[in-house]
Amino acid sequence: MLTTIVVLSAILSAASASASTTSLSFTGLQSLVERRIPQHASSFNFDIINGTGDSFTVSDSSSEAGGINISCTTLSACARGLYTYCTEVGNVDIWWTGSRLHEIATPLPKVGAPIHGSSIVPWRYHFNTVTFGYTTAFWSFDKWELLLDWLALRGVNLPLAWVGYEKILIDVFHEVGLTDDEIFDFLSGPAFLPWNRFGNIQSSWGGSLPMQWVTDQFNLQKNQILPRMLELGITPILPAFTGFVPRAMTTHFPNASIVNGSQWTGFPTELTNDTFLEPFDPLFAQMQKSFILKQQAAYGNITHFYTLDQYNENNPFSGNLTYLSSIGSGTIASLRQADPDATWVLQSWLFFQGEDFWSLERIQAYLGSVPNDAMLILDLYAEAYPQWSRTNSYFGKPWVWCQLHDYGGNFGMEGNLHEITHGPVDALHVENGSMVGMGLTMEGQELGNEVVYDALLDQAWSEEPMDILKYVKKRAARRYTVESLPPAVNRAWEILGSTIYNNSDPTTQVTTRSVVEMSPGMGLSDSIFFIGINFTRVPYDTNTTIVPAIHLLLNASETTPSLGNNPEFVFDVTEVSRQLLANRFLDKYNDLIAVWNSTSTTSADILTLGSSMVAILEDLDALLYTNENYLFSTWIADAKQWGKGNASYESYLEYQARNQITLWGPTAGLIDDYAGKQWAGLVGEYYLKRWETRKWGEEEGEIWGTRGDVWQIVKRIVTLWT
Ligand SMILES: *[C@@H]1O[C@H](CO)[C@@H](O)[C@H](O)[C@H]1NC(C)=O
Ligand SMILES: *[C@@H]1O[C@H](CO)[C@@H](O)[C@H](O)[C@H]1NC(C)=O
Ligand SMILES: *[C@@H]1O[C@H](CO)[C@@H](O)[C@H](O)[C@H]1NC(C)=O
Ligand SMILES: *[C@@H]1O[C@H](CO)[C@@H](O)[C@H](O)[C@H]1NC(C)=O
Ligand SMILES: *[C@@H]1O[C@H](CO)[C@@H](O)[C@H](O)[C@H]1NC(C)=O
Ligand SMILES: *[C@@H]1O[C@H](CO)[C@@H](O)[C@H](O)[C@H]1NC(C)=O
Ligand SMILES: *[C@@H]1O[C@H](CO)[C@@H](O)[C@H](O)[C@H]1NC(C)=O
Ligand SMILES: *[C@@H]1O[C@H](CO)[C@@H](O)[C@H](O)[C@H]1NC(C)=O
Ligand SMILES: *[C@@H]1O[C@H](CO)[C@@H](O)[C@H](O)[C@H]1NC(C)=O
Ligand SMILES: *[C@@H]1O[C@H](CO)[C@@H](O)[C@H](O)[C@H]1NC(C)=O
Ligand SMILES: *[C@@H]1O[C@H](CO)[C@@H](O)[C@H](O)[C@H]1NC(C)=O
Ligand SMILES: *[C@@H]1O[C@H](CO)[C@@H](O)[C@H](O)[C@H]1NC(C)=O
């Protein structure tokens, strides 16, 4: 009990200490107001007050000039105070699809009775290492800016910051004598760096990583991302030296303790079995120190948090308890001799995905060798398969309750609002528990399910579990910003909130992968890709969820035509229609398989079903083309922008972008379509062509399609498929 309290207070004081070093300047928040609500740039007054934790008070200023006063104990709390004013009083919000904060009324609405808020946890966390591949790989700063404002306003104060990692890593490799050839033989391409950082893969396909990429990413991190995080009251979690090294390390250091990691996802040995310098070797400590000092020199001493995963989908060389313990103690010793206040941040995914290896005694040997106050564990998939409960709160280590939710940036509508509102609150009150944060660890930030990400970050500021039906309706009111929201909209959200977004069955808690995105074949509706979960199962009845929701939203658009001008309303109608088509495609697929298997099948039966499937995909593609958020061409353009007009570099980047979402590797057959997307162009030109094999070889269609009228297309879909 005593140890727990000491550790928690250390972590709590770390939270306020980090704030006080960056605090007292509201320049970053004032700039945010100028960016997002320029017409009221001078109307918000911020002020730091004494107090523990993160709390704020929002009130009307009684000064002559009027305006809004926001007092807070930390910068992050002030950002949350500003957000609370915008959402609760101003009825506007900032979304992954864009900021609508500038739509707040003039004059600014009065607060009335002051509003107080406090976070229930010191840390609000964001990102999964792989989000830097599936979502942000090719982002320029304008996209980062929107997300960083989104994070700051929602009160996130501890995100990962992986961008540009390779620059310093390469410097450290040079320092120990590795050549460029040896180093670049190890690094992966821009779309695949997260798995190289995890030690899952090495080397590249389609050409080696250009130094231009490394430099551009480093500059993005150093000049834009990190300064912006700091001015918004956000403490970045920076990378460290992980121990994964080029193969040639063994030739340069024949006596060093170097082993090969395990094979990942069936990749051939030259692309996986990454070479690992063991942390108890003095060379590891030397490289760690060099890495951290170089990083401090580049970015300043801006954090004590370091992300470091050695065994993510990569089993240790030995299960010997002494061995595991020496890995843990060597790693933390290396971090602390470089930064005496270092906290090692670990994703706990290994204990779920590698459960066969990670017995409790092995977990205890590995974690137990690290002092409790030197570690922060991300319980990665807490909404479905929490690990803190089987490890007795990681034997006392501070940990963060995280929602994983999305795999590969897949699209299916899905959520577990009940668990994400109750689970963290319950875990916080467990006797002798050590939970210190809440956060989001999605593999890909998929726009259509934003509601479940909003909900967890809002729950971090509420002592009691939120009432989910009230929550989704209140959210709809500020999402659709019309004078008076038609009751049909509330009804639609009540249905979604109590069904699709309230799925409490852990075995289906993943964003559904539609068979649309899969290579045609038998048995697709029973697809278990990994972790024993059926990714293609639709765990709800479309006819009593999606169908009434779409009718209600269409009805609302008719009674309140101004809804048609609201980008988030149009997006949501498109999203629900997209899901309807994906589910109908699965129905038709199942019918086709059943017919195919039947002894009385005729070719006419097959053709009828096949034509329906083709028709659905044609409609799906046309639907997606109506909305800028669903364009495949955006992913490609984002990748190519870094080529800055150099044609061969652009085509390398385009290959990277296309490869990740399709073959995911140099050859087909391993994890094809893992990161599949229902994007306009990709559906019509790739998935449709694959399904429509009889048309293979015919002339290719337009790559970049044309934009139709969303209402015309949705009405056709509703007529045909509801
Ligand atoms: C909490 O810790 C105290 C002191 O170590 C111990 O007596 C008690 O059994 C623990 N409770 C639980 C539920 O583990
Ligand atoms: C805040 O606390 C510090 C130290 O405890 C004290 O010196 C300072 O006067 C306090 N400030 C306010 C505004 O209360
Ligand atoms: C808040 O408003 C009061 C007047 O009501 C003013 O005296 C005070 O300085 C303001 N605080 C901030 C943070 O601007
Ligand atoms: C490796 O160890 C052997 C035997 O101890 C020694 O002879 C050799 O010099 C060492 N090599 C290096 C590069 O340190
Ligand atoms: C790792 O694998 C490579 C490729 O098969 C092999 O050449 C090398 O000897 C292995 N290294 C160690 C330390 O086992
Ligand atoms: C690669 O890892 C697998 C275990 O996952 C192992 O069987 C194999 O021997 C490893 N290969 C090398 C070259 O290390
Ligand atoms: C960062 O802190 C270290 C001590 O941990 C110090 O030696 C170094 O000079 C600092 N670097 C910067 C850039 O402030
Ligand atoms: C684990 O490794 C240690 C140190 O190398 C050794 O003494 C011990 O016998 C090993 N334990 C087992 C079960 O192999
Ligand atoms: C959500 O699911 C939980 C657990 O199954 C259930 O207790 C709760 O009533 C549901 N809430 C709604 C609004 O459907
Ligand atoms: C996967 O989902 C399909 C379609 O709903 C179902 O038929 C199948 O039994 C499921 N498989 C498992 C293992 O849950
Ligand atoms: C759902 O509705 C469709 C279209 O009306 C119908 O064909 C299908 O049988 C219904 N499915 C269920 C499970 O009720
Ligand atoms: C169809 O036949 C295949 C191969 O015989 C079998 O694996 C599958 O379960 C059958 N599916 C249906 C839906 O009957």
Side-chain angles (χ1 to χ4, degrees):
M1 184 70 158
L2 186 62
T3 351
T4 306
I5 289 169
V6 172
V7 170
L8 293 186
S9 62
I11 284 279
L12 278 161
S13 63
S16 53
S18 72
S20 70
T21 53
T22 53
S23 69
L24 308 178
S25 165
F26 290 106
T27 321
L29 288 186
Q30 293 289 7
S31 309
L32 186 157
V33 174
E34 272 162 39
R35 264 193 306 282
R36 301 303 173 193
I37 325 175
Q39 72 275 30
H40 296 296
S42 56
S43 304
F44 292 89
N45 313 307
F46 298 99
D47 188 20
I48 288 275
I49 50 169
N50 280 345
T52 53
D54 296 274
S55 55
F56 64 81
T57 300
V58 179
S59 58
D60 294 309
S61 168
S62 61
S63 70
E64 226 169 278
I68 307 299
N69 269 6
I70 301 171
S71 315
C72 54
T73 57
T74 60
L75 265 190
S76 175
C78 260
R80 179 74 197 189
L82 172 62
Y83 180 69
T84 303
Y85 172 76
C86 291
T87 53
E88 301 287 313
V89 182
N91 208 37
V92 292
D93 207 333
I94 178 171
W95 311 102
W96 279 343
T97 42
S99 176
R100 313 294 166 216
L101 298 179
H102 58 277
E103 290 176 13
I104 199 164
T106 299
L108 286 174
K110 292 272 182 222
V111 180
I115 303 173
H116 304 283
S118 293
S119 178
I120 61 173
V121 283
W123 299 112
R124 280 83 56 197
Y125 171 84
H126 195 77
F127 283 120
N128 185 311
T129 288
V130 304
T131 323
F132 291 81
Y134 289 135
T135 299
T136 69
F138 301 110
W139 280 11
S140 58
F141 190 64
D142 59 340
K143 291 198 170 164
W144 275 104
E145 181 162 75
L146 179 68
L147 179 64
L148 293 176
D149 285 349
W150 186 98
L151 292 172
L153 287 165
R154 281 170 170 75
V156 168
N157 59 357
L158 193 68
L160 283 186
W162 267 112
V163 173
Y165 173 58
E166 285 63 33
K167 168 76 171 63
I168 292 167
L169 186 66
I170 290 168
D171 288 348
V172 172
F173 286 155
H174 278 151
E175 198 174 71
V176 299
L178 295 172
T179 66
D180 275 342
D181 281 353
E182 291 166 343
I183 295 168
F184 283 89
D185 208 35
F186 166 71
L187 299 172
S188 302
F192 302 94
L193 286 169
W195 298 274
N196 187 230
R197 294 165 180 172
F198 266 155
N200 299 136
I201 61 171
Q202 61 178 343
S203 194
S204 197
W205 45 91
S208 85
L209 183 68
M211 194 58 204
Q212 179 71 51
W213 173 268
V214 174
T215 312
D216 285 346
Q217 294 296 301
F218 174 73
N219 289 334
L220 174 65
Q221 169 91 331
K222 177 176 157 65
N223 301 329
Q224 295 184 284
I225 295 174
L226 294 178
R228 180 58 61 79
M229 284 183 175
L230 296 174
E231 71 175 34
L232 291 173
I234 290 174
T235 302
I237 303 175
L238 287 175
F241 174 64
T242 55
F244 297 110
V245 291
R247 282 267 197 267
M249 276 294 278
T250 50
T251 1
H252 290 263
F253 299 93
N255 293 349
S257 302
I258 293 175
V259 295
N260 280 341
S262 58
Q263 184 185 30
W264 188 73
T265 319
F267 272 66
T269 296
E270 63 270 21
L271 295 177
T272 179
N273 287 104
D274 285 26
T275 306
F276 183 57
L277 171 62
E278 293 176 301
F280 43 77
D281 190 294
L283 184 56
F284 184 98
Q286 178 197 320
M287 292 174 77
Q288 185 70 276
K289 184 159 191 175
S290 169
F291 184 94
I292 303 258
L293 293 184
K294 285 184 197 320
Q295 187 163 261
Q296 286 176 344
Y299 307 143
N301 287 348
I302 57 174
T303 187
H304 298 296
F305 288 91
Y306 300 94
T307 176
L308 210 171
D309 292 283
Q310 300 156 319
Y311 298 125
N312 190 80
E313 303 189 1
N314 175 18
N315 280 345
F317 180 70
S318 160
N320 179 311
L321 301 184
T322 314
Y323 176 82
L324 292 173
S325 167
S326 66
I327 296 284
S329 58
T331 302
I332 192 60
S334 78
L335 286 170
R336 290 219 147 172
Q337 52 112 32
D339 175 353
D341 299 317
T343 295
W344 172 5
V345 181
L346 178 89
Q347 297 197 178
S348 76
W349 175 252
L350 72 171
F351 304 136
F352 168 62
Q353 187 270 342
E355 197 176 353
D356 292 343
F357 176 90
W358 287 103
S359 62
L360 272 187
E361 56 169 12
R362 283 178 176 171
I363 298 176
Q364 192 156 19
Y366 184 46
L367 300 184
S369 63
V370 182
N372 281 358
D373 69 353
M375 206 166 200
L376 181 65
I377 295 182
L378 305 171
D379 198 292
L380 221 69
Y381 197 5
E383 81 275 26
Y385 294 100
Q387 299 299 301
W388 62 270
S389 39
R390 85 168 170 113
T391 54
N392 190 16
S393 290
Y394 297 102
F395 312 107
K397 295 271 181 303
W399 62 275
V400 181
W401 200 104
C402 297
Q403 170 178 226
L404 174 52
H405 182 266
D406 181 87
Y407 289 84
N410 290 166
F411 271 41
M413 288 171 65
E414 197 277 327
N416 185 357
L417 283 170
H418 181 81
E419 187 56 24
I420 64 178
T421 49
H422 286 76
V425 175
D426 293 347
L428 200 53
H429 295 123
V430 161
E431 192 181 337
N432 301 347
S434 48
M435 174 182 149
V436 296
M438 290 164 66
L440 305 174
T441 47
M442 62 277 118
E443 286 195 352
Q445 277 179 202
E446 189 279 299
L447 303 182
N449 289 309
E450 191 181 330
V451 62
V452 299
Y453 301 101
D454 290 338
L456 184 69
L457 294 180
D458 285 342
Q459 184 59 54
W461 296 79
S462 168
E463 295 277 354
E464 298 297 322
M466 302 186 303
D467 177 318
I468 64 182
L469 292 188
K470 277 195 194 144
Y471 180 78
V472 294
K473 286 187 279 185
K474 212 169 139 189
R475 182 178 175 278
R478 67 172 185 270
R479 188 165 167 84
Y480 303 147
T481 56
V482 285
E483 280 287 302
S484 138
L485 202 59
V489 168
N490 282 337
R491 188 66 206 117
W493 273 101
E494 275 169 0
I495 293 170
L496 297 174
S498 55
T499 57
I500 296 176
Y501 287 123
N502 196 36
N503 170 21
S504 54
D505 171 9
T507 69
T508 53
Q509 270 177 61
V510 289
T511 45
T512 320
R513 180 161 319 150
S514 172
V515 298
V516 166
E517 298 128 54
M518 293 168 64
S519 212
M522 307 290 277
L524 299 186
S525 60
D526 207 358
S527 296
I528 302 208
F529 292 89
F530 76 142
I531 62 172
I533 289 181
N534 189 339
F535 272 73
T536 51
R537 179 169 14 171
V538 174
Y540 51 84
D541 176 3
T542 303
N543 290 357
T544 57
T545 55
I546 300 281
V547 168
I550 199 171
H551 280 289
L552 286 161
L553 293 178
L554 268 186
N555 170 286
S557 76
E558 275 151 23
T559 59
T560 310
S562 59
L563 280 169
N565 303 325
N566 176 286
E568 278 66 43
F569 183 81
V570 176
F571 176 84
D572 289 351
V573 168
T574 310
E575 175 64 11
V576 177
S577 308
R578 180 201 60 69
Q579 193 64 52
L580 174 71
L581 290 178
N583 295 355
R584 291 304 188 226
F585 188 82
L586 175 63
D587 294 342
K588 293 290 166 198
Y589 168 82
N590 284 331
D591 291 349
L592 179 74
I593 299 300
V595 163
W596 174 262
N597 275 10
S598 138
T599 46
S600 56
T601 303
T602 66
S603 56
D605 298 332
I606 303 280
L607 275 180
T608 307
L609 284 163
S611 305
S612 301
M613 290 168 74
V614 167
I616 290 173
L617 293 188
E618 282 167 350
D619 270 345
L620 180 57
D621 205 44
L623 173 73
L624 298 172
Y625 264 120
T626 65
N627 195 292
E628 60 176 5
N629 293 294
Y630 291 100
L631 301 181
F632 171 55
S633 54
T634 304
W635 175 245
I636 300 301
D638 281 356
K640 287 171 74 176
Q641 71 184 324
W642 295 96
K644 298 175 189 151
N646 172 338
S648 69
Y649 186 20
E650 281 179 359
S651 86
Y652 166 82
L653 291 163
E654 177 166 359
Y655 169 81
Q656 287 282 318
R658 286 178 183 265
N659 185 266
Q660 188 208 76
I661 60 174
T662 55
L663 298 184
W664 212 123
T667 58
L670 296 173
I671 40 172
D672 310 15
D673 305 307
Y674 178 83
K677 303 280 181 297
Q678 285 167 45
W679 277 335
L682 189 64
V683 168
E685 295 299 320
Y686 187 64
Y687 303 136
L688 173 58
K689 294 274 153 93
R690 252 189 349 196
W691 280 101
E692 205 188 24
T693 45
R694 67 194 156 88
K695 280 198 176 173
W696 272 119
E698 280 184 19
E699 204 177 311
E700 288 205 0
E702 281 257 10
I703 293 186
W704 313 122
T706 48
R707 182 171 184 154
D709 176 68
V710 62
W711 302 106
Q712 211 184 335
I713 294 169
V714 168
K715 280 174 190 155
R716 180 170 73 241
I717 290 168
V718 166
T719 315
L720 286 171
W721 301 111
T722 68

